[in-house]
Amino acid sequence: MTHDLREKGYWSSEHCFSAELVRNLYVLAQSWEQNGRFSAAKIGRGDTKSREETIRGDSTCWVDDFTEHSLAEYHGAMVEMTQRVRQECYLPVRNLEAHFAIFPENSFYSRHRDRHQTVHGEQAPRLLTCVLYLSPWKAGCGGELLLHPETASSIEIRPLQGNFVIFDSEMEHEVTKTLVPRWSLTAWLRG
Ligand code: OGA
Ligand code: MN
């Protein structure tokens, strides 16, 4: 994992989280959605935030509390991963923030980077983006994640249920139009 991250700027695996945990997280996200906890995602920061469906069409729900059983298991695994990245990639990752995301039918997220310019005095920048895909997917459903490294050709990551990808937040990437609702749990590791 850390070798690929260092060399290529990304790593993905379908075997990082158990099928049971992925299903439990999916069920949890669905119940939170039914309870109205999701809201339309915005772009920009602070005062300049706005809803732009021509750029991104997802709805998100931040996870502030990881005490629920499946979230605790997920969080434990992410903390372990953070420690490995610190030791083996020499990246000063420390904090984790996470949200569930739903891309409804026919939505997408155009090409962007997750690392915003750091403004003096603000929290540390996002260093790594980690996405765990929760909903069933098969070829033809769309909603692929395309990574665009600067010095190599683009890489397509399929949002298969249980697939997990981790990539440099500085890398440009996009989500192609999905033809089915696409659920995920995304975390960012910050300094
Ligand atoms: C994001 C993002 C990628 C994905 O939320 O910033 O780029 O595959 N997500 O869901
Ligand atoms: Mn992104």
Side-chain angles (χ1 to χ4, degrees), residues 40-41 51-59 102-104 107-109:
R51 175 71 172 164
E52 297 288 348
E53 277 182 43
T54 52
I55 297 175
R56 69 183 292 188
D58 55 332
S59 287
I102 311 167
F103 283 81
S107 67
F108 57 89
Y109 194 159

Side-chain angles (χ1 to χ4, degrees), residues 15-84:
H15 311 287
C16 230
F17 296 92
S18 74
E20 192 192 352
L21 176 58
V22 171
R23 272 195 309 271
N24 289 341
L25 289 167
Y26 184 32
V27 168
L28 181 70
Q30 286 171 309
S31 76
W32 284 14
E33 199 273 331
Q34 268 167 17
N35 293 340
R37 293 175 69 165
F38 280 69
S39 52
K42 299 194 168 162
I43 55 163
R45 289 183 307 168
D47 296 343
T48 59
K49 272 198 172 157
S50 64
R51 175 71 172 164
E52 297 288 348
E53 277 182 43
T54 52
I55 297 175
R56 69 183 292 188
D58 55 332
S59 287
T60 61
C61 172
W62 287 99
V63 180
D64 302 316
D65 177 354
F66 291 89
T67 48
E68 184 279 333
H69 187 74
S70 57
L71 284 173
E73 190 179 337
Y74 166 80
H75 189 259
M78 293 303 296
V79 167
E80 244 175 65
M81 205 169 295
T82 304
Q83 282 161 0
R84 273 189 68 191

Side-chain angles (χ1 to χ4, degrees), residues 56 99 103 109 112 114 131 133 145 173 175 182 184 188:
R56 69 183 292 188
H99 72 35
F103 283 81
Y109 194 159
H112 67 283
D114 287 352
V131 191
Y133 299 104
L145 168 67
H173 58 281
V175 177
R182 176 192 191 267
S184 58
W188 288 274

